[in-house]
Amino acid sequence: MMNNMSAMTTTMKTKAATMNPSKISARGVQVYYGDKHAIKDVDIEIHPRSVTAFIGPSGCGKSTFLRCINRMNDTISSCRVEGHIAIDGEDIYDPKVDPVQLRAKVGMVFQKPNPFPKSIYENVAYGPRIHGLASRKSDLDDIVASALQKAGLWNEVKDRLDAPGTGLSGGQQQRLCIARAVAVSPEVILMDEPCSALDPIATAKVEELIHELRENFTIVIVTHSMQQAARVSQRTAMFHLGNLVEVDDTDKIFTNPDDQRTQDYIMGRFG
Amino acid sequence: MMNNMSAMTTTMKTKAATMNPSKISARGVQVYYGDKHAIKDVDIEIHPRSVTAFIGPSGCGKSTFLRCINRMNDTISSCRVEGHIAIDGEDIYDPKVDPVQLRAKVGMVFQKPNPFPKSIYENVAYGPRIHGLASRKSDLDDIVASALQKAGLWNEVKDRLDAPGTGLSGGQQQRLCIARAVAVSPEVILMDEPCSALDPIATAKVEELIHELRENFTIVIVTHSMQQAARVSQRTAMFHLGNLVEVDDTDKIFTNPDDQRTQDYIMGRFG
Amino acid sequence: RDQIQIAGSSTVLPYASIVAEAFGENTDFPTPVVESGGSGAGRKKLCEGVGENTVDIANSSSRIKQSDIDNCAANGVQEIQEVRIGYDGIVFASEINGPEYAFTPADWHAALAAKVVKDGQLVDNPYKAWNEIRAELPAQPILAFIPGTKHGTREVFDEKVIIAGCEENGTYEALKAANNGDEDAAEKACMALRTDGVSVDIDGDYTETLARVDANKNGIGVFGLSFYQNNTDKLRVATMNGVSPSVETIASGEYPVSRPLYFYVKNAHLDVIPGLQEYVEFFVSDEMAGPDGPLAAYGLVSDPELAKTQEAVQARKPMGPLN
Amino acid sequence: MSVSIIILVVLALSALGYFLGRRRALSLAAESGGKLHSLPGYYGQTVALFAAVPAFLLLIAWLFVQPVVIDARVDGMIPDSVIPEGGARSLVISDVRRIAGGLDAVLARNALDEGALIDGSVDFSTIRDRLAEVGIALGNDVPTEVFEAAKVYRQDTKVGSTAMAIAVIALSMGLGAWSFMRIRPDLRARNISEGFIKSLLIGSSTIAILTTVGIVASLVFESINFFRMYPASEFFFSTVWNPQFRGGSELGILPLLWGTFYISLIALLVAVPIGLLIAIYLSEYASKSLRSVAKPAIEVLAGIPTIVYGLFALITVGPFLRDWFAQPLGLGSSSSSVLTAGIVMGIMIIPFVSSLSDDIMNAVPQALRDGSYGLGATQSETIKKVILPAALPGIVGAILLAASRAIGETMIVVLGAGAAAKLDLNPFEAMTTVTVKIVSQLTGDTEFASPETLVAFALGLTLFVFTLGLNVLALYIVRKYREQYE
Amino acid sequence: MTDVSVSANRETVSRSKSILTVDARTRRRHAAEARFRLMGKIAVAISILALVGLLASILSNGLSAFRQTYVTLDVYLDPAKLDKQGNRDPEAIAKVTTFSYAPLIQKALTDAMAAKGISIEGLNAKGASELISKEAPANLRRYVIADPSVIGDTVSFDLLASGRIDGYYKDRVTMESAQLDRNVSPEQLMLADELRQAGILTTKFNWDFFTAPDASDTRPEASGLGVAILGSAYMMLIVLVLSLPLGVAASIYLEEFAPQNRFTDLIEVNIANLAAVPSIVFGILGLAVFINFVGLPQSAPIVGGLVLTLMTLPTIIIATRAALKAVPPSIRDAALGVGASKMQSVFHHVLPLAMPGILTGTIIGLAQALGETAPLLLIGMVAFVREYPAAPPEGFFDPASALPVQVYNWTQRGDPAFVERASGAIIVLLVFLVAMNLIAIILRRRFERRW
Ligand SMILES: Nc1ncnc2c1ncn2[C@@H]1O[C@H](COP(=O)(O)OP(=O)(O)OP(=O)(O)O)[C@@H](O)[C@H]1O
Ligand SMILES: Nc1ncnc2c1ncn2[C@@H]1O[C@H](COP(=O)(O)OP(=O)(O)OP(=O)(O)O)[C@@H](O)[C@H]1O
Ligand SMILES: [Mg+2]
Ligand SMILES: [Mg+2]
Ligand SMILES: O=P([O-])([O-])[O-]
C-alpha cells in the first residue's frame, strides 16, 4: 500500500506542475505536531477564482493543511511546517512575509465557532476597523450589515446588534464567524466546515455566498458532505491519514476517481 | 399566520395527549433569555426506546429546548423556563428533583465539542468515576474502551489515550464527547448535532450507535440533515421561531407534513 | 540640600526629634530630618563618605566602635565629633497591679542564666519562681522580657546586670574553675541565658515589651527610663540594690544600670550644611539638654559634664582614636 | 530651558508628528489611489515615536553625562590648597554648585544681568553675605578659586542645558521629519510601530532581570566580607543562632531557615485552603452582588498594616493559644509561638490566594462546566475535577505569591513568634525567621563591619538561593500538570 | 484492555429509577456537595469575620484620633517680652524663642481662671499651664512672626490641650490612673473639668490630624499626618505610573511574544523568586543603587517610589501572566484569522479579557506597597520629618515620610497617646488604600465576564 501511494503522488506531482496558473501552490508540505506527523509530503495547486473542496475522514489533516495556508499554524507552538507554499508565486513561509498581511489576504472561518466575547456588531466590525476599510461610521455600518446579510444572519440579529456574540445559537455563531471573515474581503477564503452547524437553508445561503464570492475570490472549503463538495466546488482534494490521496476536478473525483480510497470514501465504504 | 399557528398547536396538543405512554412529556414550555422569548408554549411527547429528531432552521430554539430536558439551562443565569416537563411522569422542574441525578439519567452531547483539558482517557472515565460505575481499574478501562469504540474513535486514539483531548481534530473531539456521554449509560441521550463535524463514515458509525442504543434508550437528536433525520429517527419534531410547528412520525413528516412551513423547510424552500 | 540629615539610634530618636522640632521652631533653618534605623546603621551611613547625599549626624546609643572609625577614614570621613548628650537609665518594671520587686543583679543572673550555682554545684538553672532564688522576692513565676541581641541595651544589661550578678553570686568563680581559669570563657558562660522560654528576647521596642507585660501579668520587662516615665500608670518599677531609678539617682551614679547616649557629627559638613553647627550647639545648650530642659523632663539623664561638651562643640574638636 | 519644558516640547512635536503623519498617509493614498499598507494612525504613530523616543533617550543620557563632564572640568580648577583639612573635594564641588545656584538668585535680586557678573561690576568681596541674603547659607568664606569655579560651573551648566535643549529638540524634529518624509503608501508603518512597542515590552521584561542582578550584586559583596570573618561551614551547618556584642557569636542559619519554613508552612496551611475555598465559593456559588462586595472586602485584609496583625497576634491569639492549647496540652507556656504567627500571617495572605484564584477560575470557559454538568456531575465535582485542574497554573502562581509574602513578613513574626532562634518541632514554641533576623541585624546596634551585621547580607543571599530552588520546583510541577483548555 | 468486552455488571450499579427519590450514592454526593459549599461559606465567613474584627479594633482604638481637645484663651502678646527694644524689628522678634512665649500662655490661663473664678487646691500656675500643649508657644510665635504688628494686642487662640488632658476626654486617662501618672495629676483633671464647664475647654473635630506634620514625643496632641499623606501619595503615584505599565508590558512580552526556551523559563522563575525576596532586601538594593550609585537624595519619595515599584512589579507580573494564560487560545485564533497582528490581537482581545486578573494584581500589589515600612527603613524614609515636601516633580526629591512609617514610628513611642494616633493613621491608610483601589475595583467588575 505504501508503494502504491507514493507512486500515486509522483503521478500527481507531474500533473500538478503542468497546470497553470495557480493561486496557491504547495510543494512537499510536511506538518508535525511534536512527534506526530500530521501532513505527509503534500503537493497541491489551488486555482484562482474557483472553489476547492478538501474531503477526507475525520483526523486526516484537512484542518491542519488549511491552517498552513494562512500560517495559523504559527500559533501552535508544537506545530512545525516544512516544505513550500506559495500564493501568487510568493512563498508565504519566506521570513520576509508578514503573516498578518497574509492573513488579511487569506481569511479563515474556523471549524469551531469562536466569536469574540463582544457584541455582534463589534465582532463583524473588528476586521474592517483594523484594516481601515471604513473611514466613516456609516461605511462601517454598511460593511457590517452587508457581511451579516451575506452570511444570512442579518434578519435574525438586526434588532440586537449590541447583544453579545457568544449568546447566539451554534449555527448563528458559525454564521457570525463567516460574516466576520467576509467583512474584510480577503482574496482567499479558507472555510473549515462552515456549514456543519447550519440548517439546510442557511447552508444554501452560504453556498450561494460561496458561489458569488467565487467570481472574485479563491475559496478553499473543508467539508464532510460529499453533496456539498459536489455542489459548490470545481476541484476536490481527498486527504487520508495525512496524505493527499488525489486532487482533481470535482466531476472527475465524484464520477471516476483514480484512487480506490477516494472511491471507497465517496461511496461511504471506508474505514 | 398567527391564528393559523395557534390553531395548529391546539390540534397537536390534543393529539399528543392521547398518545401514551411517553418517556418525556412537555407541556406549555416557555423559555426566555432575559427578554428574548426563545421557546413559545411547546407541548411534546417523546416516546421511549425510540429516536426523536428535532429539525428546524438555525436559531429556532432546538438547542434551547433540548437543554431544558436535562435542565442544562439552569446554568445560564439569564435563562428562565416556564411550563412542565416530565420524564417517566415525574416533573423534572419539581423542586424535589435533583438536577444531578436527572443529568446522569439524561445524558447530553453538545453542539460545540467541549473536551476537558485532560487526557483522552480521563475525558471518558470522568463520568463513570463520578457515578461510581466501576469499582476496579480494569472495569473502568473496559468502559472507556467500549465507549470509545461505540463512538468510533477507538482505532484513532487507542495508542494515545494519555494525549490531551484538546489536541484532537474537530471531528475527533466531537466523537470524544459522544463517548463521554455514552460511558455513563444514561436512559435518555440528548444529542445536539452530534454528527455536524463528522465525515460520512464517522457519521455512519454514530448513526449505527444510535440505532443500537435505541433498543434500550430514548434518544433525542438535533440535526440539520434531513437525510439523517429520516435515517435515524422514528419521530420528528419541527421547530420554527421558537414554536413547535409539528411533531409526528418521521415518515409522515417527510412525506406528508401537516404544516406548510414543514413542507417548505424540508424541500429547502424556506427563509 | 537645605536640611540637616540625621540617622541612627531609635533610643536617641525621641530626644533628637524633640531638639529638631524646637530647632525648627526657633530658627530660620528647616527642621532636621531624623531617621531611625538603629545605631549601627546610622554610623554606617555616617561613614559612607562625605557629600550631600550622606548624613551629617549619626545618633548612637552606644559608643562608636574602632571598626566604624576605620571605615569612616577609609571613605574619606576623617574628622568626626563625638557628642555625649546624657544618660539613658535602664529600668525593670512589671505590671502595675503585681507585687513589688527589689532586685539585685545576682537575682537576675540566678533567674536567667543557663547555669547557676546551687548548693555549691554548677547546675542547669532550676528556678521557676523568684522566691526560690531569694525568699524575700515575691512568689511569682520567673518571666523576663529582655532586649534582643540587636539592641545596645542588651549589651548594658549583660554587662551591668548579668555579669555583675554572676560575679556577685559566685557563679563566675565556679565557671572560671570549670573553664580551667579562662576568664573570657567564664564571662561568656555567665552571659549564656536559659532557653526554656523564661527569658524572652524582644527584637522590637519598648512598646512591644509593654504589650507583652500586659499579656503576661507576671512578666518583668526591661525599659528605658523615659519610656517608664511615660507609663507610670501601667508599670511598677523595681529597685536595684535598693535604689529606685530616677533621673537623680542615675545622674548621681547610685542606680547602677545606665548607659551614655551619643551623637557623632561629620565635621566636614559643618560649614556646608546650613544650620548644622547651630543645631549641634542648640542640642547641647542648657536650654535643651540641661537638667531643667525638655530632654530631662522627658527622661534623659542630663550629663553632669554638659559644660565640657558645650565647649568641645564650640571648638569643633574631632575625636581621636578610641583608647 | 528647563527639562520639563523640553519634555513638553518633545511631546508636542510628537503629537504634531502624529497628526501630520496621519494626514500625509491619507493624502498620499488618495493621490496615488493606492491602498495604504497600514491604518493611517500607524503612520502617525511612527512619526510620533521617531520624534519622541530617541529624543527622550538622548535627554536622559545627557542628564547623566553633563554633570559628570562639568564636574570634571570644575574639579580641575580647584587646587588642593583650597580644600579644607579633613574635608573632601566633593564637598567643595557641592559648595561650587551651591554658589552657582546662589549667584542666579543674587543677580535676580539686584536686578543685574550676566555682564555685571563677568565684568565684576558687582561687588562680590562679601559673597557669603550676599548669598546669605538670598537664603544660601555657606559655611566659611569662599576662596576666589572656588568662586571662579562657580562662575565657570554656572556658565557651563547654562551652555550645557542650552545645548541639550537644542540637541534634543533638533533630534526630535529631525527624526520626526525624516520619518515623515519616508511615508509612502506601502511603508509598513504598523510593523515599525509594533516593532517599537515590542522593544518596549522586551525592555520592560528585562527590568526583572536587572533587579535580580542588582539584588545579587548588592548582597554578594558584603556577604563575601562576612564569609571572610565567619566560617561558611558554621554559618550553613550550625544549629545555634546567638549573636553577641563582644564577638564570639554563633551565627548558624539552620534554626532561622527552619523557623521560616515552619511559620510559612503554617501560614499556607491556613491561607491556601481558606483562600481556595473562598475563591471557589465566590466564583462558582456566590451571587454577583455578594461577590462584588466580598472580594474587595477580603482584599482589604492584604492592605491592613502588618503591625495590626502583629498586635493581634501578641495580644489576642498568643495568649489564647497558650491558655487553651499549649498549657493544657503541656506543650509549654510561651505566648509567642510559631502557631500564633503562622495563623495570623495566614489570615493576612488569604486574599493573595483567594482573589487571584478567583479571577483565574472565573476565566475558565463555561463550555467546560457545561460538559461536566451534562454528565451529571455535581457542582463540587465539576469544580474539583475540571475547573481547579484547568486553573492550576494560575492557582500555583497565587500560592507562590502568598508564600513569598509569608517569607518576607517581619512584623507579625516579631510580635507573634518572638525573636528566639530555635530548632524545635513544637508549634507552641517561640521561633523566628530569616527575614526577621535580616532586619534586626541590619538595624541593630552592632558595628557595621562585624559579622553580626554583615550576616544579614549572607542571610539575604541564602534565602534568595533557597527560594530560587523552590520556584524552580514549582515551575516544574506546574509544567507537568498544566492543562491547557481551548 | 485491548480485548474489550462490555462488562455486564455495570448495569448492576443501583441507580434510582425515579428522579424524585434520590438514591444513596447521589445522596452521598449531595452531602459532599453541601459540605463543600458550606466549607466555602465558612471560609468566606472566617475571612470576613477576621476583617471585621481587625477593623473593629482599629476603629475603636483610632476613631478618637479624629477629635481633639482645645483650650480657648485670650493671650496678651506682651511687648515687654516679645519686643524688648520696642521697634518691631522683625529680626529681633525672630530671635525671641518659644521659651519666652510660654509665660504669656501661662498668664493667659491664670487670668482666664481668675475671671471665671476657678481655682483648684494644690495646683499652682505652672501645674495649671501643663494642661496646655507644648506646641502652643510655637503656634503663638508663628502667629507673631507672620505679623509683628499684633504685638501688644490681646488675641484669642484655640490652643491644643496636652495629650493627657485630651486622653481624659477619651477615657484613656482616669482619675485613678492620674494618681499614678507622673505626667498628670488628678488636680489637673479637675481643673480641666472646671474649664470645660466654663466653656474654655472644648473637644472638636481634628483637622490638624490630616494636615499637621509629625511632632516630637512630648507633643502627641500636635502630631498629624500631613507629611506622611503627601509622601505616600507621591510614592504611590510613582509606583502606579511605573509598575502597572511595566508589569503589564513585561507580562505581555513573556506570555505572548517570548519564544518558549530556557531563557524565558529563567525569567519566569526569576520573577517568581523576586516576589519572595523580603522587602528589606529591596531597601538594600535601593540604598546601593538609587542613593549610592545614582546619587538620588536620602529620605526622598522618588527613591521610595522606585524601590516600591521594583517590589510591586513581581506581584503584578505574576497576576497578569496568570490572567493572560487563562484566556482561551481560540480568541487569539479568531483575531489572527481576520488579519489582526499579534500585537492587535493581544491589545484588542486578550488584554481586556485578562483585565480582572491584572487589576487584582494591581490592587494587591499596591496594598502591599502602601503598607510597607521595611525597605523605607534603609533609604531613610523612616524618619522624623516636619517640613512638607514641595509639589511634584521637585517634591519627589524632598524628604518626606509615609503613612506606614508614621504608624510604625507612633507605635514605638512612649506616650500612650500615640496608640490612638497610630490607629487613626491606620484608618487613614485604609481609606487611602480603598480610595486608591476604588477605580481598579470598579473597572474589574466591569471587565469580569464569562465566555
Ligand atoms: N445564552 C443565550 N443568551 C441569549 N440568547 C440566546 C442564548 N442562547 C441562545 N439564544 C437565542 O435563542 C434562540 C434559540 O437559540 P438555540 O441555541 O436554541 O437555537 P438552535 O435552534 O439550537 O440553533 P442552531 O441550529 O443554530 O444551533 C436564538 O435566537 C439565540 O440567539
Ligand atoms: N494541536 C494539536 N496537537 C497535536 N495533535 C493535533 C493537534 N491538532 C490536530 N492534531 C492531530 O493531527 C491530526 C490531523 O488533525 P486535523 O485537525 O487536521 O484533522 P481534520 O482532518 O481537520 O479532522 P476533522 O474532520 O475531524 O476536523 C489528527 O490526528 C489530530 O489528532
Ligand atoms: Mg478539522
Ligand atoms: Mg443549537
Ligand atoms: O536603635 P538602638 O541602636 O538605640 O537600639
Side-chain angles (χ1 to χ4, degrees), chain B residues 90 92 97-98 100-102 104-105 129-132 141 143 145-146 149 154 161 183-185 187, chain E residues 1-7 9-11 13 15-23 25-26 29-30:
Chain B
E90 293 168 319
I92 64 167
V97 164
D98 174 12
V100 168
Q101 224 176 337
L102 172 68
K105 206 162 153 179
R129 273 227 182 89
I130 58 174
H131 294 298
D141 289 351
I143 296 177
S146 99
Q149 272 167 342
W154 179 246
L161 290 175
V184 297
S185 18
E187 290 174 25
Chain E
M1 174 154 162
T2 30
D3 177 18
V4 183
S5 61
V6 181
S7 40
N9 66 346
R10 266 168 60 194
E11 308 307 327
V13 172
R15 253 200 222 165
S16 155
K17 271 285 147 205
S18 161
I19 49 171
L20 287 171
T21 54
V22 179
D23 65 43
R25 186 182 160 82
T26 313
R29 288 169 59 208
H30 275 295

Side-chain angles (χ1 to χ4, degrees), chain A residues 33-34 36 38-39 56-65 76 78 111 192-193 222 224, chain B residues 156 160 166-173 175 197-199:
Chain A
Y33 290 113
K36 188 175 163 65
I39 294 286
S58 170
C60 67
K62 304 179 296 296
S63 301
T64 302
F65 187 71
I76 300 174
S78 71
Q111 186 165 8
D192 200 349
E193 305 191 29
V222 172
H224 282 128
Chain B
E156 282 155 72
R160 46 167 177 160
T166 43
L168 293 174
S169 81
Q172 288 167 334
Q173 289 188 8
R175 282 177 284 158
L198 302 190
D199 60 278

